[in-house]
Amino acid sequence: MKALVLDGHRVALANVAMPKASDECLLRIRVAGICGTDLQMLDGYADFNGILGHEFVGVVEHAPPHDAHWIGTRVVGDINVGCGRCAMCVTGVKEHCPQRTVVGIRDRAGAFAEFITLPASNLHAVPDDVDDRAAVFVEPIAAACRILEQVAIDARWRIAVIGDGRLGLLIAQVVSTVAHDVTIIGRHDEKLALARALAIVALHTNASITDRFDLVVDATGRPDGLARAIEIVRPRGTIVLKSTFHGESSSPLWPVVVQEVTIVGSRCGPFRKAIALLASGVIKTAPLISRVVPLEDYEVAFAAARHELKILFDLSR
Amino acid sequence: MKALVLDGHRVALANVAMPKASDECLLRIRVAGICGTDLQMLDGYADFNGILGHEFVGVVEHAPPHDAHWIGTRVVGDINVGCGRCAMCVTGVKEHCPQRTVVGIRDRAGAFAEFITLPASNLHAVPDDVDDRAAVFVEPIAAACRILEQVAIDARWRIAVIGDGRLGLLIAQVVSTVAHDVTIIGRHDEKLALARALAIVALHTNASITDRFDLVVDATGRPDGLARAIEIVRPRGTIVLKSTFHGESSSPLWPVVVQEVTIVGSRCGPFRKAIALLASGVIKTAPLISRVVPLEDYEVAFAAARHELKILFDLSR
């Protein structure tokens, strides 16, 4: 089968062996999306070699006998696969299993390929009214929804999302479902204009900010994101860190102590909630899609993903 | 009156004018303690010039007519003085008033002096069974107690305190009042031995740590404290930051995101709680005192405070 394989810092289209389904379901990928994390991995983050890609929608083609009812179902898939036995797994937190594999990120083949395998317990059926190009956003929307699980957001809070990229624009929409004063702060006029078209207040990062924010989400994917968040959060406010990147972040930390700021690391989130938000129509994804290309156009796709919004690989045609 | 005055990075004993009491109480200082923050301030933290010192016990000598009942009372004093009118002050959080002054730290004369003034609302009477050399620990014990207000500690948690200095040894004792599995991690054999004498498990920082901790408190006062805390906290665990220092901290932040760690900045705390803990005898302070000197011996005192535990100035004699 065709697949985009990362080897060191280089990605290439290759013909690789079909995955062995064993005890897992075999999915034929329909659409997959490029995430900022994929780009960070090209730059050395996570030290992964193998098939990239962890945002996808596909159809179950084969399944073990006890999971045969999944065959033919259009699905998205939770990307963390736990050992099933450790203290984390038995309490339902497989995303923190120390032995976990993660689709396209850690010891498990990714979704920029014709096929992928996953345990049935990771699958979520996609409702008919959520098309492939929306369903492929379930994983990042779930990551945005994780914030709602971690922080008890007061509807009256002033909330800032730093970073006007694909994740920032999803997070701003998701937090707007629970609070109305949401501002996105970024560097790109055209992305800020898109945020405004989505009814989100948008400020250029150079704009002076006088009123501080109760909650600041760093979705910049940049080492300086935390320092900026510290500048604009109120005393006793909360910062959610979403950026993963290779290397260190330098920041004066005394304001975190003096202002008693809480910083919350945030990763994967609830797929069901994300599917429900997509199905309800409250989260807009179509305006975020900048290109839909075949797997063969991966070089253009990865280059474009550095400055454009969401690039999708369409494998369904 | 005599006072230790910080000017740039130099501290010197000076004869300064008596403070004008105006609407505040005038206290005669009995004992004052050197805190790590004082040393950080000598190194440039907080950009303060004036009389140093914010850990003290004294006796009220003068008071405005409506506070006259304080005269003669032995007291400790909350170090933050708010404007009384802002959103923070009216909700009782004067330590985050943007206009606040802070004894010996920000726009207010400190306690390494014969006299100091404070509003009566900042004063707390010291019970007779808490002597001066214990009462001077109320401020740092209150700062340790702040952790109990910020983090809902489960009695079954494994807790680590990094930093075997004066604050670390107090924090370890305070968290031991709500959880029994508390380990202090430090670099100094003699301070670790003292921790063990206080019935706290003590590990050298080079010891290998296999079981991660639910809660890690950074009381190192060092830029690398956070990175160490990130290494030993469990997924979804909590780090409390107590260290303030001049300059930046460099740390890889992706583990905070991937492991969904929560980092809580923590500063000043509840004096009443600290006084109650001291009065109950559960917190031991006498073993932490390494020297008691007159104000005139400040050069030796500040030098010793770099490596010894608590140095006290006794002004009562």
Side-chain angles (χ1 to χ4, degrees), chain A residues 108-130:
Chain A
R108 177 174 278 269
F112 296 157
E114 290 179 89
F115 294 92
I116 194 176
T117 67
L118 265 181
S121 57
N122 279 55
L123 303 182
H124 298 264
V126 177
D128 290 344
D129 53 353
V130 177

Side-chain angles (χ1 to χ4, degrees), chain B residues 4 30-32 34 112 293-295 298 301-302 311-315:
Chain B
L4 294 182
R30 292 180 59 85
V31 176
I34 299 180
F112 296 157
V293 299
L295 218 48
Y298 67 98
F302 281 109
I311 318 286
L312 300 180
F313 291 118
D314 189 341
L315 291 100

Side-chain angles (χ1 to χ4, degrees), chain A residues 240-263:
Chain A
V240 171
L241 279 191
K242 273 291 182 189
S243 300
T244 49
F245 46 81
H246 185 62
E248 304 205 332
S249 180
S250 268
S251 177
L253 285 177
W254 62 264
V256 174
V257 177
V258 172
Q259 312 228 29
E260 297 194 306
V261 172
T262 294
I263 300 173

Side-chain angles (χ1 to χ4, degrees), chain B residues 68-86:
Chain B
H69 56 284
W70 279 102
I71 294 173
T73 308
R74 197 165 57 107
V75 295
V76 290
D78 214 329
I79 66 177
N80 295 277
V81 180
C83 72
R85 293 175 306 274
C86 71

Side-chain angles (χ1 to χ4, degrees), chain B residues 129-146:
Chain B
D129 52 355
V130 177
D131 68 19
D132 289 341
R133 293 183 186 187
V136 72
F137 283 89
V138 167
E139 198 279 336
I141 293 172
C145 291
R146 176 71 183 134

Side-chain angles (χ1 to χ4, degrees), chain B residues 51 72 74 81 113-114 122 128 131 147 238 248 252 271 289 317:
Chain B
I51 302 172
R74 197 165 57 107
V81 180
E114 290 179 89
N122 279 55
D128 289 345
D131 68 19
I147 298 170
T238 301
E248 302 205 332
F271 269 48
I289 300 171
R317 288 178 292 196

Side-chain angles (χ1 to χ4, degrees), chain A residues 45 93 95-96 146 226 236 243 248-251 253-254 256-263 265-267, chain B residues 45 93 95-96 146 226 236 243 245 248-251 253 256-263 265-267:
Chain A
Y45 170 70
V93 190
E95 61 268 39
H96 289 291
R146 176 72 182 133
L226 174 60
R236 296 201 179 164
S243 300
E248 304 205 332
S249 180
S250 268
S251 177
L253 285 177
W254 62 264
V256 174
V257 177
V258 172
Q259 312 228 29
E260 297 194 306
V261 172
T262 294
I263 300 173
S266 178
R267 191 164 49 106
Chain B
Y45 171 70
V93 190
E95 61 269 39
H96 289 292
R146 176 71 183 134
L226 174 60
R236 296 199 178 166
S243 300
F245 46 82
E248 302 205 332
S249 178
S250 267
S251 177
L253 286 178
V256 174
V257 176
V258 171
Q259 312 228 31
E260 296 194 306
V261 172
T262 294
I263 300 172
S266 179
R267 192 166 46 109

